[in-house]
Amino acid sequence: MHHDPAPLTRHLRIHRNGGHLVLEFHGEIDVVAASEITPFLDSATGRPAPRVVIDLRPVEFFDCSGLRLLFRARRRVLAQGGTLHLVCTEPLILRILRITGLAQVLPPSASVEEALSRPEAAGSVETG
């Protein structure tokens, strides 16, 4: 069912899973990778009511540029009334997500299937 599409950049592959667009980040997500990914991320999150999954499982390195991509995706999806799910299993990246508070507003799942079984991710954020 899942096929490996040709990479859009060496750091990004995109495929569909049901009604969701899955952005699979690859390799080292640093400032160079972020500059390659941003146009595709903006396209995916700029549509009305986007349904997006960001999969970080193939990531080997993740710095503040990667965090900026996640915050950007979340902000854009919320502005369009969509949903955003995050998939991540790497302990170091999970720690970064917890420390920055991103894990609270964008809870990571262990797989795309688990993420899609959650009701809403970015769309259910409480504002206080």
Side-chain angles (χ1 to χ4, degrees):
M1 184 185 290
H2 174 73
H3 64 284
D4 287 333
L8 297 168
T9 79
R10 64 189 170 129
H11 301 288
L12 179 66
R13 288 173 182 82
I14 297 178
H15 60 91
R16 288 214 166 270
N17 188 321
H20 289 78
L21 196 60
V22 179
L23 282 69
E24 200 176 275
F25 291 12
H26 283 260
E28 296 184 3
I29 305 302
D30 56 15
V31 68
V32 172
S35 67
E36 292 176 6
I37 291 170
T38 297
F40 299 103
L41 180 77
D42 285 355
S43 175
T45 59
R47 301 179 173 127
R51 295 168 53 181
V52 178
V53 176
I54 296 178
D55 187 350
L56 300 179
R57 289 176 299 173
V59 171
E60 298 163 6
F61 174 83
F62 191 83
D63 70 7
C64 60
S65 300
L67 282 174
R68 277 194 296 274
L69 285 171
L70 297 180
F71 277 107
R72 179 184 188 96
R74 182 176 175 273
R75 184 183 74 244
R76 291 175 58 85
V77 166
L78 285 173
Q80 294 293 334
T83 60
L84 177 64
H85 298 278
L86 180 63
V87 177
C88 181
T89 55
E90 170 58 44
L92 186 57
I93 298 173
L94 290 169
R95 182 169 184 252
I96 292 168
L97 297 175
R98 278 192 303 274
I99 289 170
T100 61
L102 189 58
Q104 289 188 3
V105 296
L106 191 57
S109 298
S111 68
V112 172
E113 293 73 24
E114 179 186 320
L116 295 180
S117 71
R118 291 184 173 192
E120 300 280 321
S124 64
V125 174
E126 294 179 20
T127 56

